Amino acid sequence: MNEHILKKAFDNHFEASIEVWKAFADLCEEVHFKKNEKIKEVGKTAKYGYFLIKGSCGLFVWKENNFICTDLILENNFFADDISLLSGKPSQIEIVALENSTILQISKSNIDLLKKTPMGNILFLAGEENSTIEKQTQQIEMMTLTAEERYLNLMKNRPEIIQRVHQKHIASYLGITTQSLSRIRKNLLK
């Protein structure tokens, strides 16, 4: 069953046969996290990559006595502390379940095994390319758009985040305070 979820989620980036996704799913373990439970702690080395089946998660970094949200993840998306996972070193990224979540986790050693296969290598390359595009787009928006424009983009492109994720995490993700987010929302209602 998980292979069908993986295939459907990834077909937009690269179509692979269900057998490929079955082999991928067989190397994963289904795990569950409660709301606010840490999936990966600050200062630890990442041991897994993840695919979110149900729930929501956030990636955070510590800055000046506060956690800053760098990414918000909803169902049918891959995520990880890529810095740590790829370097094999600890990082300052913390991953937290924002809702009760069901996740497929794949160990670093199984990722390395998959990357040694021709199809596995293609899947990881396609995934990294998509991730790079998303992160660079986010960086450009942070530098070129106003906070209100970033919020409107989030409402347009990822409305489920607005409905499901706590306002403090949305504000942090947008690079603004919760008070600024409240003002923006209030102004948009006028």
Side-chain angles (χ1 to χ4, degrees), residues 137-154 157 174 176:
T137 300
Q138 180 186 3
Q139 288 173 336
I140 290 168
E141 286 179 358
M142 288 293 283
M143 293 184 290
T144 61
L145 300 180
T146 66
E148 185 172 312
E149 289 169 331
R150 292 193 305 272
Y151 181 73
L152 289 169
N153 273 357
L154 191 63
N157 298 320
L174 293 172
I176 59 177

Short mmCIF file of all heavy atoms in Angstrom, two decimals, residues 137-154 157 174 176:
data_model
loop_
_atom_site.label_atom_id
_atom_site.label_comp_id
_atom_site.label_asym_id
_atom_site.label_seq_id
_atom_site.Cartn_x
_atom_site.Cartn_y
_atom_site.Cartn_z
N THR A 137 13.35 28.97 -4.69
CA THR A 137 12.15 29.80 -4.86
C THR A 137 11.78 30.45 -3.53
O THR A 137 11.48 31.66 -3.48
CB THR A 137 10.98 28.95 -5.40
OG1 THR A 137 11.36 28.40 -6.67
CG2 THR A 137 9.71 29.79 -5.55
N GLN A 138 11.81 29.68 -2.45
CA GLN A 138 11.51 30.21 -1.12
C GLN A 138 12.51 31.32 -0.75
O GLN A 138 12.11 32.37 -0.23
CB GLN A 138 11.55 29.10 -0.08
CG GLN A 138 11.23 29.56 1.32
CD GLN A 138 11.43 28.46 2.36
OE1 GLN A 138 11.85 27.34 2.06
NE2 GLN A 138 11.13 28.78 3.60
N GLN A 139 13.78 31.10 -1.01
CA GLN A 139 14.80 32.11 -0.69
C GLN A 139 14.57 33.40 -1.48
O GLN A 139 14.67 34.51 -0.93
CB GLN A 139 16.20 31.58 -0.98
CG GLN A 139 16.66 30.53 -0.01
CD GLN A 139 17.99 29.89 -0.44
OE1 GLN A 139 18.35 29.90 -1.61
NE2 GLN A 139 18.70 29.35 0.54
N ILE A 140 14.27 33.27 -2.75
CA ILE A 140 14.03 34.44 -3.60
C ILE A 140 12.81 35.21 -3.10
O ILE A 140 12.82 36.44 -3.01
CB ILE A 140 13.88 34.03 -5.08
CG1 ILE A 140 15.24 33.56 -5.62
CG2 ILE A 140 13.33 35.19 -5.92
CD1 ILE A 140 15.17 32.85 -6.95
N GLU A 141 11.74 34.48 -2.75
CA GLU A 141 10.54 35.13 -2.23
C GLU A 141 10.84 35.87 -0.93
O GLU A 141 10.34 36.98 -0.72
CB GLU A 141 9.42 34.11 -2.02
CG GLU A 141 8.80 33.64 -3.31
CD GLU A 141 7.69 32.60 -3.11
OE1 GLU A 141 7.42 32.21 -1.95
OE2 GLU A 141 7.11 32.18 -4.12
N MET A 142 11.64 35.28 -0.04
CA MET A 142 11.99 35.94 1.22
C MET A 142 12.73 37.26 0.98
O MET A 142 12.58 38.21 1.73
CB MET A 142 12.84 35.02 2.10
CG MET A 142 12.09 33.87 2.72
SD MET A 142 10.86 34.38 3.93
CE MET A 142 11.92 34.75 5.31
N MET A 143 13.51 37.31 -0.09
CA MET A 143 14.32 38.51 -0.35
C MET A 143 13.60 39.55 -1.21
O MET A 143 13.96 40.72 -1.18
CB MET A 143 15.63 38.11 -1.04
CG MET A 143 16.56 37.32 -0.12
SD MET A 143 18.16 36.96 -0.87
CE MET A 143 17.71 35.77 -2.12
N THR A 144 12.60 39.13 -1.99
CA THR A 144 12.02 40.05 -2.96
C THR A 144 10.56 40.41 -2.71
O THR A 144 10.09 41.41 -3.26
CB THR A 144 12.14 39.48 -4.39
OG1 THR A 144 11.42 38.24 -4.47
CG2 THR A 144 13.60 39.27 -4.78
N LEU A 145 9.84 39.62 -1.93
CA LEU A 145 8.43 39.89 -1.70
C LEU A 145 8.19 40.46 -0.31
O LEU A 145 8.95 40.18 0.62
CB LEU A 145 7.60 38.60 -1.86
CG LEU A 145 7.67 37.88 -3.20
CD1 LEU A 145 6.80 36.63 -3.17
CD2 LEU A 145 7.23 38.80 -4.34
N THR A 146 7.13 41.23 -0.19
CA THR A 146 6.75 41.72 1.13
C THR A 146 6.16 40.56 1.93
O THR A 146 5.80 39.51 1.37
CB THR A 146 5.68 42.82 1.02
OG1 THR A 146 4.47 42.24 0.50
CG2 THR A 146 6.14 43.98 0.14
N ALA A 147 6.04 40.76 3.23
CA ALA A 147 5.44 39.73 4.09
C ALA A 147 4.02 39.41 3.63
O ALA A 147 3.62 38.24 3.59
CB ALA A 147 5.45 40.19 5.54
N GLU A 148 3.27 40.43 3.26
CA GLU A 148 1.89 40.20 2.79
C GLU A 148 1.89 39.39 1.50
O GLU A 148 1.08 38.46 1.33
CB GLU A 148 1.17 41.53 2.57
CG GLU A 148 -0.29 41.34 2.19
CD GLU A 148 -1.07 42.64 2.15
OE1 GLU A 148 -0.96 43.42 3.12
OE2 GLU A 148 -1.79 42.85 1.16
N GLU A 149 2.79 39.69 0.58
CA GLU A 149 2.87 38.93 -0.67
C GLU A 149 3.26 37.46 -0.40
O GLU A 149 2.72 36.55 -1.03
CB GLU A 149 3.89 39.57 -1.61
CG GLU A 149 3.43 40.89 -2.19
CD GLU A 149 4.53 41.65 -2.91
OE1 GLU A 149 5.73 41.50 -2.55
OE2 GLU A 149 4.20 42.41 -3.85
N ARG A 150 4.17 37.25 0.54
CA ARG A 150 4.56 35.87 0.89
C ARG A 150 3.38 35.11 1.49
O ARG A 150 3.15 33.94 1.18
CB ARG A 150 5.75 35.87 1.86
CG ARG A 150 7.04 36.37 1.23
CD ARG A 150 8.27 36.10 2.05
NE ARG A 150 8.25 36.59 3.40
CZ ARG A 150 8.63 37.81 3.79
NH1 ARG A 150 9.06 38.69 2.90
NH2 ARG A 150 8.58 38.16 5.07
N TYR A 151 2.61 35.78 2.33
CA TYR A 151 1.43 35.15 2.93
C TYR A 151 0.39 34.83 1.85
O TYR A 151 -0.18 33.73 1.84
CB TYR A 151 0.82 36.06 4.00
CG TYR A 151 -0.39 35.45 4.66
CD1 TYR A 151 -0.27 34.40 5.55
CD2 TYR A 151 -1.67 35.93 4.38
CE1 TYR A 151 -1.37 33.81 6.15
CE2 TYR A 151 -2.79 35.36 4.98
CZ TYR A 151 -2.63 34.32 5.86
OH TYR A 151 -3.73 33.75 6.44
N LEU A 152 0.16 35.76 0.93
CA LEU A 152 -0.80 35.52 -0.16
C LEU A 152 -0.35 34.35 -1.04
O LEU A 152 -1.17 33.52 -1.46
CB LEU A 152 -0.99 36.78 -1.00
CG LEU A 152 -1.76 37.91 -0.33
CD1 LEU A 152 -1.67 39.21 -1.14
CD2 LEU A 152 -3.21 37.51 -0.11
N ASN A 153 0.96 34.25 -1.29
CA ASN A 153 1.48 33.10 -2.04
C ASN A 153 1.23 31.80 -1.30
O ASN A 153 0.87 30.78 -1.90
CB ASN A 153 2.98 33.26 -2.30
CG ASN A 153 3.29 34.03 -3.54
OD1 ASN A 153 2.40 34.42 -4.29
ND2 ASN A 153 4.56 34.30 -3.77
N LEU A 154 1.45 31.82 0.01
CA LEU A 154 1.22 30.62 0.82
C LEU A 154 -0.26 30.24 0.77
O LEU A 154 -0.60 29.07 0.62
CB LEU A 154 1.68 30.86 2.25
CG LEU A 154 1.75 29.65 3.17
CD1 LEU A 154 2.77 28.64 2.66
CD2 LEU A 154 2.10 30.08 4.59
N ASN A 157 -0.86 28.84 -2.89
CA ASN A 157 -0.16 27.62 -3.30
C ASN A 157 -0.22 26.48 -2.30
O ASN A 157 -0.06 25.32 -2.68
CB ASN A 157 1.31 27.95 -3.61
CG ASN A 157 1.43 28.92 -4.75
OD1 ASN A 157 0.70 28.84 -5.73
ND2 ASN A 157 2.34 29.88 -4.62
N LEU A 174 7.34 32.46 7.44
CA LEU A 174 7.29 33.64 6.57
C LEU A 174 8.33 34.70 6.95
O LEU A 174 8.49 35.70 6.26
CB LEU A 174 5.89 34.26 6.60
CG LEU A 174 4.78 33.41 5.99
CD1 LEU A 174 3.43 34.05 6.26
CD2 LEU A 174 5.01 33.21 4.50
N ILE A 176 8.31 36.53 9.82
CA ILE A 176 7.69 37.67 10.50
C ILE A 176 7.23 37.25 11.90
O ILE A 176 7.26 36.08 12.25
CB ILE A 176 6.48 38.21 9.69
CG1 ILE A 176 5.42 37.11 9.47
CG2 ILE A 176 6.96 38.76 8.35
CD1 ILE A 176 4.17 37.57 8.74
#
